[in-house]
């Protein structure tokens, strides 16, 4: 009888071990505190909306905060892989952190889905390290072209540029220079500032003295409001453009009346309710807005949470296929998940329709952006 009891206990433990081993584990690192918190908090909230089960497979999520710090993002990624044995990484929030995590994902052969925008995160896709890396936000060049088109169509001939002094600002300057060249826009001044700066008076004085028709601010989150407030203080009367990195309500709150009239490209979900009935993303974007606001309150949704939602949709679609080939917790499953991510087709998300391929690890086309303006303290869709 004693032997039988031991056998039962051993069997129960073995079954428990198999069950635990069979769970799929998703590791997430977001910038829920620090300068990028206004981006990272809605991303963190959105993880709570992701599926707890895919098919018959239980899914566990482990969420860490990298405090908008690159070193911490790398530490988090290593911890998620070595201690928690995650099957996929989601993160991080901003470009510098995501770029720094690529080596960790590649070394461990773990698929990674970034929620940051720069194309440098996934390009060149022929880089063996980037074989494991995907991202959900629109590429900067897609948004830069939208801005340049709007400028040209509205009489802008000369442009001043001010952006973050990091990979985000550098990437945007490179892409906007390409788009401006196509539309024959003259970039007359370029300036930089740090995300944590509290004054940009010197840079703004140089921009205003160049007398551009318009100024593009390449920042993200609430720190992007700083140059715009300074421009208003100095009486700049030209058009002011921002990137999709500011598309949340915290930017509206911090910018106040100084950001009225701002023009920017954004993911369709920012104005989901205003999209034409036949827009290809209206339903999928509205689904996310509804799910988020039911849990976190009306008016609380932001486009950055939408990037996390899309990461979850991609992960779910790929996991459904990978589970047919291997068990979670194994190198074979991670490899199958990576391969399946690369084969996702016609998946409508909050920000567009995803079509991944071996040469495109972002997967969005022009259906993934609209032009908007800020009017009476809210976002307004601009038909094109």
């Amino acid at each position: 009888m004693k032997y039988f009891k031991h056998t039962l206990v051993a069997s129960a433990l073995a079954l428990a071990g198999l069950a635990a081993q069979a769970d799929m584990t998703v590791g997430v690192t977001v910038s829920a505190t620090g300068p990028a918190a206004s981006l990272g908090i809605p991303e963190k909230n959105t993880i709570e909306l992701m599926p707890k089960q895919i098919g018959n497979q239980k899914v566990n999520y482990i969420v860490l905060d990298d405090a908008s710090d690159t070193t911490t993002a790398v530490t988090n990624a290593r911890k998620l892989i070595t201690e928690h044995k995650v099957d996929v990484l989601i993160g991080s929030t901003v470009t510098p952190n995501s770029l720094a995590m690529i080596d960790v994902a590649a070394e461990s052969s773990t698929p990674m889905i970034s929620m940051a925008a720069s194309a440098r995160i996934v390009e060149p896709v022929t880089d063996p390290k980037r074989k494991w890396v995907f991202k959900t936000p629109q590429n900067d060049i897609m948004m830069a072209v939208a801005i340049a088109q709007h400028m040209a169509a509205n009489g802008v001939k000369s442009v001043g540029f001010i952006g973050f002094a990091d990979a985000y600002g550098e990437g945007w300057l490179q892409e906007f220079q390409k788009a401006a060249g196509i539309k024959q826009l003259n970039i007359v001044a370029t300036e930089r500032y740090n995300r944590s700066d509290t004054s940009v008076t010197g840079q703004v004085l140089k921009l205003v003295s160049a007398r551009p028709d318009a100024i593009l601010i390449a920042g993200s989150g609430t720190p992007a409001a700083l140059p715009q407030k300074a421009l208003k203080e100095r009486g700049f009367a030209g058009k002011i453009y921002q990137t999709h990195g500011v598309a949340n309500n915290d930017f509206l709150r911090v910018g106040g009346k100084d950001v009225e009239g701002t023009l920017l490209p954004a993911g369709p979900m920012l104005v989901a309710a205003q999209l034409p009935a036949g827009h290809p993303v209206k339903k999928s974007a509205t689904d996310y807005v509804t799910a988020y606001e039911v849990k976190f309150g009306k008016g609380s949704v932001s486009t950055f949470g939408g990037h996390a939602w899309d990461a979850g949709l991609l992960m779910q679609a790929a996991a459904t296929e990978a589970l047919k080939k291997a068990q979670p917790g194994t190198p074979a499953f991670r490899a199958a998940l990576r391969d399946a991510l690369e084969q996702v087709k016609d998946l409508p998300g909050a920000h567009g329709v995803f079509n991944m391929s071996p040469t495109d690890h972002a997967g969005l086309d022009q259906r993934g952006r609209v032009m908007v303006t800020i009017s009476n303290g809210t976002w307004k869709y601009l038909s094109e």
Side-chain angles (χ1 to χ4, degrees):
M1 185 63 182
K2 185 177 181 181
Y3 170 78
F4 181 65
K5 286 177 66 177
H6 283 172
T7 301
L8 283 177
V9 170
S11 299
L13 289 172
L15 287 172
L18 286 173
Q21 186 179 17
D23 288 353
M24 179 177 167
T25 306
V26 180
V28 183
T29 177
V30 295
S31 303
T33 57
S38 65
L39 288 66
I41 289 172
E43 293 173 352
K44 181 173 180 285
N45 290 342
T46 299
I47 304 302
E48 297 183 34
L49 306 176
M50 290 187 182
K52 306 301 187 291
Q53 185 166 321
I54 297 175
N56 294 321
Q57 188 68 54
K58 182 182 177 184
V59 183
N60 300 316
Y61 297 87
I62 300 169
V63 183
L64 302 178
D65 175 18
D66 61 37
S68 310
D69 178 73
T70 300
T71 302
T72 306
V74 173
T75 300
N76 285 353
R78 291 197 184 282
K79 182 175 184 179
L80 290 165
I81 289 170
T82 59
E83 294 184 19
H84 299 286
K85 313 296 183 187
V86 300
D87 295 295
V88 57
L89 285 170
I90 294 179
S92 177
T93 302
V94 296
T95 294
N97 292 10
S98 296
L99 288 171
M101 291 166 55
I102 291 175
D103 283 347
V104 182
E107 288 168 5
S108 59
S109 298
T110 304
M112 167 182 151
I113 308 174
S114 171
M115 298 173 288
S118 174
R120 294 169 60 192
I121 295 166
V122 294
E123 296 177 355
V125 75
T126 52
D127 177 3
K129 292 180 180 177
R130 286 168 170 78
K131 169 184 176 182
W132 295 92
V133 182
F134 301 80
K135 77 180 185 78
T136 53
Q138 302 85 348
N139 277 338
D140 293 343
I141 187 62
M142 179 194 303
M143 300 310 215
V145 168
I147 290 174
Q149 286 176 340
H150 191 275
M151 286 178 171
N154 289 275
V156 172
K157 302 292 185 185
S158 58
V159 184
F161 176 95
I162 180 169
F164 282 157
D166 61 21
Y168 186 84
E170 179 63 29
W172 255 96
L173 179 58
Q174 291 178 3
E175 302 301 346
F176 184 69
Q177 286 172 329
K178 297 175 189 173
I182 294 170
K183 292 298 179 182
Q184 299 182 323
L185 301 170
N186 184 24
I187 301 175
V188 296
T190 61
E191 296 292 334
R192 298 296 183 80
Y193 71 109
N194 295 309
R195 293 174 189 253
S196 57
D197 282 351
T198 56
S199 173
V200 290
T201 300
Q203 296 96 319
V204 163
L205 287 174
K206 292 177 183 176
L207 287 171
V208 172
S209 67
R211 299 180 179 276
D213 296 328
I215 289 177
L216 170 60
I217 300 171
S220 63
T222 53
L226 180 64
Q228 192 153 352
K229 284 180 165 292
L231 285 165
K232 289 294 183 182
E233 288 174 2
R234 297 294 167 179
F236 180 72
K239 291 181 172 60
I240 297 180
Y241 290 79
Q242 292 270 2
T243 74
H244 53 314
V246 305
N248 67 13
N249 289 339
D250 281 340
F251 177 78
L252 297 178
R253 175 182 54 80
V254 171
K257 61 180 176 54
D258 290 331
V259 299
E260 279 288 307
T262 302
L263 297 154
L264 65 145
M269 66 137 291
L270 183 67
V271 288
Q274 301 172 46
L275 294 174
H279 194 284
V281 183
K282 186 175 180 69
K283 181 183 182 306
S284 51
T286 302
D287 286 346
Y288 169 64
V289 172
T290 301
Y292 192 95
E293 294 191 342
V294 164
K295 186 169 182 64
F296 297 103
K298 188 170 179 58
S300 60
V301 74
S302 93
T303 61
F304 301 102
H307 297 314
W309 177 260
D310 287 345
L313 292 177
L314 288 169
M315 180 270 294
Q316 183 175 8
T320 300
E321 296 302 315
L323 286 167
K324 299 174 183 175
K325 300 178 179 178
Q327 286 295 312
T330 66
F333 181 74
R334 297 197 299 274
L337 192 59
R338 190 218 76 86
D339 292 346
L341 280 167
E342 208 167 63
Q343 298 303 318
V344 170
K345 302 295 181 191
D346 297 323
L347 176 66
H351 283 288
V353 180
F354 288 90
N355 281 286
M356 297 290 186
S357 76
T359 58
D360 186 358
H361 281 195
L364 291 175
D365 56 26
Q366 292 300 315
R367 292 173 290 182
R369 63 86 176 162
V370 295
M371 284 298 297
V372 302
T373 188
I374 297 173
S375 177
N376 295 319
T378 189
W379 310 103
K380 182 180 179 182
Y381 171 69
L382 296 174
S383 59
E384 297 179 62

